[in-house]
Amino acid sequence: MAMNDSVNILNSAYLAVEYIDSFLPDNPLQQPFKNAWNYMLDNYTKFQIATWGSLIVHEVSYFLLCVPGFIFQFIPYMQKYKIQQDKPETWEKQWKCFKTLLFNHFFIQLPLICGTYYFTEYFNIPYEWEEMPRWYVLVAQCFGCAVIEDAWHYFLHRLLHHKRIYKYIHKVHHEFVSPFGMQAEYAHPLETLILGTGFFIGIVVFCNHVVLLWAWVICRLMETIDVHSGYDIPLNPLHLVPFYAGARFHDFHHMNFIGNYASTFTWWDRLFGTDSQFIAYQEKEKKKQFITKK
């Protein structure tokens, strides 16, 4: 009975969004995107699209999303938004991070990306424009992927902090006490595989078109680079996402090496009380600000 009620609610929500979408003006970017997509299908094989297309989407998205945070370090005005103001970025750390990223991207992640084509073939996932899901379906699928990845990340990340294994794997990621955007995927190769598995679970559950692979890559990179940015920017549109953790939440984890284990949302840490130190820290900061103002 409860299952039927849930299905009815979801169906009603879908119909409501579809109805609202019918009144929205046509997206001026849709036709150029359609033309580009069909050009890609006509000129490249599915293997090339799934493999090299996915690699390009990942690399371009990753480093483009890192650009704002990288530029902030040179803008004095932005320093008031930096969370750990006493720990500025250094060229030495950023260069070391960049070299490790290139190794992880091309020697760990690229072999996994090479399996994308075979994944799409095995599950008969379409590439055609006519099969592409509507934007609101894509948004819902990405949100579903984020919920699944967040659960996986919370429990496996917390396990990686166990005192018996922390120094062998996860310690690499915590080399930078004050994180910066490019450091989001700076990790031990084993951690890349362990925590990265959560990324693919949602794909297996929801994927009904190859475009979801790329949309979810961009969404996940946007989130993880934001929480590692080291800057708590006001009016950040990601804060409109319900229960979104954000940079200050994850920055505390890097400062203290404990608590706030989830990647995107706050509910797992709230449920298990692993955000208690963060909450206490926030209360102290509020009291300091209040005394300073007085």
Side-chain angles (χ1 to χ4, degrees), residues 66-77:
C66 287
V67 167
F70 180 78
I71 294 175
F72 288 164
Q73 66 184 307
F74 305 111
I75 304 175
Y77 176 80

Side-chain angles (χ1 to χ4, degrees), residues 43-58:
N43 291 275
Y44 299 95
T45 66
K46 286 185 176 181
F47 178 82
Q48 290 172 322
I49 293 170
T51 305
W52 305 117
S54 297
L55 178 66
I56 291 169
V57 168
H58 181 272

Side-chain angles (χ1 to χ4, degrees), residues 50-215:
T51 305
W52 305 117
S54 297
L55 178 66
I56 291 169
V57 168
H58 181 272
E59 295 306 300
V60 171
S61 299
Y62 191 90
F63 289 107
L64 277 181
L65 289 167
C66 287
V67 167
F70 180 78
I71 294 175
F72 288 164
Q73 66 184 307
F74 305 111
I75 304 175
Y77 176 80
M78 297 305 297
Q79 295 312 301
K80 65 181 180 179
Y81 301 122
K82 183 168 173 58
I83 300 167
Q84 298 186 55
Q85 297 185 7
D86 60 330
K87 296 181 178 68
E89 296 90 343
T90 66
W91 285 107
E92 181 183 3
K93 289 180 179 180
Q94 290 175 100
W95 176 240
K96 182 179 181 180
C97 177
F98 180 72
K99 290 187 293 183
T100 301
L101 280 178
L102 291 183
F103 176 83
N104 283 349
H105 285 184
F106 290 97
F107 291 95
I108 306 299
Q109 294 181 12
L110 179 56
L112 296 175
I113 290 173
C114 287
T116 303
Y117 166 75
Y118 302 100
F119 168 79
T120 60
E121 286 295 291
Y122 181 81
F123 288 103
N124 294 316
I125 294 171
Y127 289 62
E128 291 72 23
W129 175 265
E130 292 73 22
E131 301 291 327
M132 190 175 292
R134 300 297 297 273
W135 66 268
Y136 45 85
V137 175
L138 203 57
V139 169
Q141 289 173 327
C142 286
F143 184 78
C145 287
V147 170
I148 292 172
E149 190 281 332
D150 184 68
W152 176 272
H153 191 101
Y154 176 85
F155 292 104
L156 272 294
H157 182 195
R158 189 172 178 180
L159 178 63
L160 288 175
H161 271 271
H162 192 282
K163 60 182 180 181
R164 291 187 178 180
I165 59 176
Y166 171 79
K167 64 180 179 180
Y168 299 110
I169 301 175
H170 193 52
K171 186 178 180 180
V172 174
H173 183 68
H174 276 279
E175 185 176 329
F176 303 113
V177 177
S178 178
F180 48 91
M182 191 168 57
Q183 188 240 336
E185 291 187 344
Y186 180 88
H188 189 285
L190 275 178
E191 178 173 339
T192 300
L193 294 173
I194 293 168
L195 295 184
T197 299
F199 173 89
F200 295 101
I201 298 174
I203 293 296
V204 173
V205 174
F206 294 108
C207 195
N208 58 353
H209 195 280
V210 71
V211 75
L212 177 63
L213 292 169
W214 297 353

